[in-house]
């Protein structure tokens, strides 16, 4: 009986020692996790600052880079130097696309699955389309997605550029938001039905 009691006491003592040893271990793990979390936050903040600094430097360099004057074409031997030049919009940090508002017109199927259009850039002034003076040509894949509403008779829908070439052959009439990716390529056109044009 005395042996049984001493065995119970020993087991109880071992259990107490185990609990005391386990508590500091758990606290140590929690502390280590907290340290890792703080290090990750510091690293994320530091890398975010580096990316922001790089974006500012690249943006500043692109503004300081001398603009190369395009050679005059045979159709227009003396282009106006006073007309603003087109610069493809670039997505803001964290954004997938950047948009340009403009009349899209003079659409021509140039073959090879491509369509050439003229874009007269607009700005939105309290819901009214106001020309900026920038006009440029784009040659786009004929399958470029186009969201239409008024162009389709008031019925919202999705088309391809090749489906609306006939409607876009005339002069400036239909306003669109052109979505550019980070490499300056147009990914889609969305009819700017929210703008008052004309």
């Amino acid at each position: 009986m005395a042996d049984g009691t001493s065995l119970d006491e020993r087991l109880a003592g071992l259990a107490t020692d185990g609990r005391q040893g386990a508590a500091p271990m758990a606290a140590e793990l929690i502390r280590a996790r907290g340290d890792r979390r703080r290090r990750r936050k510091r690293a994320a903040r530091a890398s975010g600052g580096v990316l922001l600094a790089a974006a500012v430097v690249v943006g500043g360099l692109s503004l300081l880079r001398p603009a190369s004057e395009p050679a005059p074409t045979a159709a227009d031997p003396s282009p106006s130097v006073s007309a603003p030049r087109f610069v493809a919009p670039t997505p803001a940090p964290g954004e997938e696309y950047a948009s340009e508002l403009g009349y899209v017109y003079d659409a021509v199927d140039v073959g090879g699955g491509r369509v050439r259009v003229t874009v007269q850039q607009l700005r939105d002034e309290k819901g009214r389309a106001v020309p900026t003076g920038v006009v440029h040509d784009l040659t786009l894949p004929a399958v470029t997605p186009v969201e239409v509403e008024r162009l389709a008779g008031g019925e919202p829908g999705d088309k391809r550029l090749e489906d609306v070439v006939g409607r876009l052959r005339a002069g400036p009439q239909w306003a669109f938001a052109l979505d550019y990716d980070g490499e300056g390529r147009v990914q889609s056109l969305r009819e700017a039905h929210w703008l008052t044009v004309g």
Side-chain angles (χ1 to χ4, degrees), residues 89-197:
T90 54
E95 297 292 324
E96 192 172 359
Y97 300 114
S99 293
E100 170 194 26
L101 289 174
Y103 286 119
V104 177
Y105 60 99
D106 285 347
V108 178
D109 185 344
V110 294
R114 314 283 290 166
V115 174
R116 189 180 66 241
V117 296
T118 300
V119 179
Q120 180 182 357
Q121 198 175 71
L122 301 169
R123 71 176 172 269
D124 183 350
E125 284 190 3
K126 297 180 183 174
R128 210 170 168 69
V130 178
T132 65
V134 176
V135 178
H136 61 98
D137 290 334
L138 292 172
T139 302
L140 305 171
V143 295
T144 301
V146 181
E147 291 179 21
V148 294
E149 187 169 312
R150 291 180 191 154
L151 189 70
E155 185 76 26
D158 296 326
K159 303 236 181 240
R160 294 182 301 193
L161 185 56
E162 64 190 358
D163 300 331
V164 294
V165 168
R167 300 294 308 269
L168 299 176
R169 278 202 174 112
Q173 178 181 359
W174 306 103
F176 285 88
L178 293 81
D179 297 320
Y180 290 80
D181 65 13
E183 295 177 17
R185 296 176 303 212
V186 175
Q187 295 298 307
S188 64
L189 285 79
R190 295 175 288 118
E191 189 177 353
H193 56 82
W194 61 90
L195 285 179
T196 304
V197 295

Side-chain angles (χ1 to χ4, degrees), residues 10 13-14 18-19 27 33 35 44 46 48 63 73 84-85 91-92 96 125 132 148 162 166 177 184 193 195:
R10 278 184 145 196
L14 286 173
R19 274 194 298 274
R33 267 188 256 145
D35 288 344
L63 290 174
T73 61
R85 294 191 44 198
E96 192 172 359
E125 284 190 3
T132 65
V148 294
E162 64 190 358
H193 56 82
L195 285 179

Side-chain angles (χ1 to χ4, degrees), residues 15-33:
T16 303
D17 289 344
R19 274 194 298 274
Q20 287 173 347
M25 191 60 130
E28 206 48 49
L29 288 172
I30 291 169
R31 201 171 303 114
R33 267 188 256 145

